[in-house]
């Protein structure tokens, strides 16, 4: 017979889905690899009801570029809580078309809101074929994007910004919650945004993982989330630049379009 505390001794270090699938015999999300955010807890960070932005409060958008651009939508309420309420993810598309589709989407869904934008700092670099950067092109369309934090991990890194949001309590509730319209982000938090395991040496059982998160469809919206969370949590302590192309007469105290 098993000791009465056998299963309870396995709980520490497990996340909610591991407890459901491995100990309770229930359905849950089971993925290989090491989750980037073990701090995430489905029971407290996910809200199954659709989250709507509050009128009168700006919406923050995080942008990830490349041929699989992703945009995430956040709002920081007056209480300090951050709602991740929507996302747009594209495949085989450049930033010009993605920006056009973003404008159509927000005009239809969030027409009366102001927007702050933070993006992949690589979007401020010129390419081989065009003297105009992604952010300069967006500025011509009236979308002024501030380059986000480059540093991935460690003190004041992008990952640390998200982790701080997950582990901070405000009035007894997590600072960050995720809504169902941010579907790809949600699945990433559940473990699909992960570090892949490296092949183990013969004769050893030690698990080792790649230093960078796996490059999959969950990576792009999570990169976008990290850029904007880095700005919200750490702000100008990281000396991120002002929004690209923003006329000085339109700049708010924080350097964003107002």
């Amino acid at each position: 017979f098993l000791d009465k505390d056998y299963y309870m001794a396995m709980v520490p270090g497990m996340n909610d889905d591991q407890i459901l699938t491995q100990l309770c015999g229930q359905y849950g999300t089971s993925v290989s690899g090491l989750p980037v955010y073990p701090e995430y807890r489905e029971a407290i960070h996910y809200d199954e009801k659709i989250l709507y932005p509050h009128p009168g409060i700006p919406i923050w958008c995080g942008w990830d570029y490349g041929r699989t651009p992703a945009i995430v939508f956040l709002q920081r309420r007056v209480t300090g809580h951050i709602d991740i309420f929507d996302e747009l993810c594209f495949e085989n598309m450049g930033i010009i078309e993605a920006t056009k589709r973003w404008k159509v989407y927000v005009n239809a869904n969030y027409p009366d809101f102001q927007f702050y934008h933070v993006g992949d700092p690589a979007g401020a670099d010129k390419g081989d074929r065009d003297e105009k950067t992604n952010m300069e092109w967006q500025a011509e369309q009236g979308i002024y994007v501030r380059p986000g934090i480059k540093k991935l991990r460690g003190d004041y890194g992008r990952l640390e910004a998200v982790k701080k949001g997950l582990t901070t309590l405000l009035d007894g509730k997590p600072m960050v919650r995720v809504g169902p319209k941010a579907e790809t982000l949600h699945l990433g938090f559940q473990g699909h945004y992960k570090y892949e395991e490296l092949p183990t040496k013969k004769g050893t059982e030690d698990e080792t993982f790649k230093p960078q998160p796996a490059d999959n469809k969950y990576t792009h919206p999570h990169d976008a989330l990290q850029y904007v969370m880095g700005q919200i949590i750490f702000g100008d302590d990281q000396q991120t630049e002002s929004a690209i192309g923003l006329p000085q007469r339109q700049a708010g105290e924080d350097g964003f379009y107002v």
Side-chain angles (χ1 to χ4, degrees):
F1 293 96
L2 295 175
D3 185 86
K4 63 182 180 67
D5 295 324
Y6 176 80
Y7 289 107
M8 291 303 297
M10 298 171 65
V11 170
M14 283 187 165
N15 60 37
D16 295 341
D17 283 303
Q18 288 173 328
I19 293 172
L20 283 174
T21 57
Q22 298 179 31
L23 299 185
C24 300
Q26 299 182 20
Y27 291 106
T29 301
S30 180
V31 295
S32 60
L34 181 68
V36 174
Y37 297 119
E39 301 86 354
Y40 177 81
R41 293 292 182 267
E42 184 78 1
I44 63 173
H45 291 117
Y46 180 68
D47 194 327
E48 62 184 11
K49 297 178 296 184
I50 293 178
L51 304 179
Y52 295 98
H54 292 243
I57 302 176
I59 292 173
W60 292 74
C61 285
W63 293 76
D64 188 49
Y65 300 116
R67 293 299 300 175
T68 50
I71 307 109
V72 300
F73 296 75
L74 290 70
Q75 190 179 64
R76 188 171 193 175
R77 292 181 281 146
V78 293
T79 59
H81 293 91
I82 298 171
D83 290 342
I84 305 171
F85 62 89
D86 207 348
E87 67 180 30
L88 291 173
C89 299
F90 304 107
E91 293 184 4
N92 194 28
M93 184 183 298
I95 194 58
I96 294 177
E97 181 62 26
T99 300
K100 291 178 180 178
R101 295 195 183 192
W102 176 90
K103 294 180 75 171
V104 171
Y105 186 77
V106 299
N107 286 337
N109 293 275
Y110 311 113
D112 300 320
F113 286 88
Q114 294 177 342
F115 289 87
Y116 291 166
H117 302 276
V118 186
D120 181 351
D125 298 335
K126 289 181 171 61
D128 295 334
R129 299 182 179 180
D130 195 346
E131 286 299 312
K132 192 178 298 181
T133 71
N134 286 334
M135 290 181 180
E136 287 172 342
W137 187 91
Q138 289 181 292
E140 291 184 356
Q141 308 303 309
I143 299 172
Y144 304 105
V145 185
R146 170 177 285 192
I149 296 172
K150 294 181 180 180
K151 184 179 178 182
L152 178 63
R153 55 172 56 83
D155 292 342
Y156 300 105
R158 293 187 279 116
L159 284 179
E160 185 61 29
V162 180
K163 289 174 179 285
K164 186 171 183 179
L166 292 172
T167 57
T168 298
L169 294 179
L170 299 173
D171 296 327
K173 297 180 180 179
M175 176 188 287
V176 167
R177 64 174 178 168
V178 184
K181 292 182 72 175
E183 181 180 5
T184 313
L185 274 170
H186 176 219
L187 290 171
F189 274 123
Q190 288 183 312
H192 294 277
Y193 181 51
K194 61 187 180 180
Y195 300 106
E196 292 181 331
E197 186 176 355
L198 289 169
T200 56
K201 293 181 179 180
K202 187 175 181 180
T204 66
E205 297 182 357
D206 295 335
E207 290 183 322
T208 55
F209 299 89
K210 295 181 179 179
Q212 301 294 330
D215 187 8
N216 54 34
K217 73 175 186 177
Y218 308 100
T219 305
H220 309 294
H222 271 278
D223 282 347
L225 175 66
Q226 291 162 21
Y227 298 130
V228 68
M229 283 293 292
Q231 183 62 45
I232 292 175
I233 298 297
F234 297 134
D236 286 336
D237 290 345
Q238 288 307 290
Q239 298 179 343
T240 49
E241 303 173 40
S242 296
I244 299 297
L246 177 62
Q248 290 301 309
R249 67 180 185 277
Q250 292 181 325
E253 293 181 357
D254 54 8
F256 284 96
Y257 175 69
V258 178

